[in-house]
Amino acid sequence: MSDAGTEATPATPHEPPHGTPRDTPHGTPREASVDVIQRELTAFARRARASAARVHPEIPLVSYTLLSHIAERSGCRATDLAAHYLLDKSTVSRQLGGLEKLGLVERRPAPEDHRVQVLHPTDAGLTVLATAQANRLAAYQERLKDWSGEDLARFADYLLRYNAEGPAGLPDPR
């Protein structure tokens, strides 16, 4: 949907929808494409933050992401989370404190070194994640219901490729 309230026309192999790089009046097509990508990723991130409260009203998006990472890895250290998400240790500590207060995460000594604390999701944390993931999957299924299998595969490949590049060259979010 455009700002004027009209729907964008679907793309054909020869005609992109309104607002795509060919419609951008400045710079080279490559610069215009990068501008569109930056703008759309920003919009995506804002919508993700705004919808995070629907996952669990007391869990911010950062906390939800950390809880999900901990569960996917069957436990990890706080320093691993900070390094993986390029977050300040104090931010991770604050978010984990909230998750612990809610009973969604617990710390256990590492088997190989009892001085090291490993974070694990609690049963309540796993329940929150399962519910949130089911809700998010349903929302994505609905949003992408009209996309072809080929388009979905291409989009997934592009996202994997983009994220594999890591944070190099991106502005510092702080």
Side-chain angles (χ1 to χ4, degrees):
M1 141 173 64
S2 73
D3 291 340
T6 59
E7 291 293 318
T9 56
T12 64
H14 304 291
E15 186 179 314
H18 177 71
T20 58
R22 281 193 240 162
D23 294 329
T24 306
H26 64 294
T28 66
R30 181 177 179 83
E31 289 168 338
S33 293
V34 170
D35 184 53
V36 169
I37 290 166
Q38 180 277 143
R39 184 179 66 239
E40 294 303 313
L41 285 175
T42 299
F44 176 83
R46 286 184 180 144
R47 281 192 303 272
R49 273 189 229 103
S51 67
R54 291 184 294 226
V55 171
H56 191 292
E58 297 178 61
I59 301 176
L61 181 61
V62 172
S63 294
Y64 171 80
T65 303
L66 298 179
L67 177 59
S68 181
H69 187 91
I70 293 165
E72 287 170 9
R73 306 248 169 343
S74 299
C76 68
R77 300 174 305 154
T79 54
D80 298 331
L81 290 168
H84 181 78
Y85 289 107
L86 303 172
L87 294 170
D88 187 80
K89 290 177 188 174
S90 65
T91 300
V92 171
S93 179
R94 189 171 49 257
Q95 299 297 325
L96 291 173
L99 290 171
E100 286 178 297
K101 241 185 231 179
L102 291 170
L104 304 177
V105 170
E106 64 186 4
R107 296 175 191 264
R108 298 183 206 150
E112 67 280 355
D113 184 350
H114 291 327
R115 296 172 296 174
V116 175
Q117 295 290 304
V118 178
L119 299 155
H120 292 275
T122 61
D123 289 341
L126 292 173
T127 299
V128 165
L129 275 177
T131 300
Q133 288 166 342
N135 291 341
R136 290 174 63 150
L137 180 60
Y140 280 113
Q141 292 284 8
E142 177 61 25
R143 187 175 189 108
L144 301 169
K145 69 182 178 194
D146 296 329
W147 288 39
S148 71
E150 183 179 295
D151 284 346
L152 289 172
R154 193 172 333 158
F155 186 50
D157 287 343
Y158 288 151
L159 286 173
L160 287 167
R161 181 177 168 191
Y162 178 80
N163 283 327
E165 293 296 318
L170 294 178
D172 187 350
R174 288 178 259 157

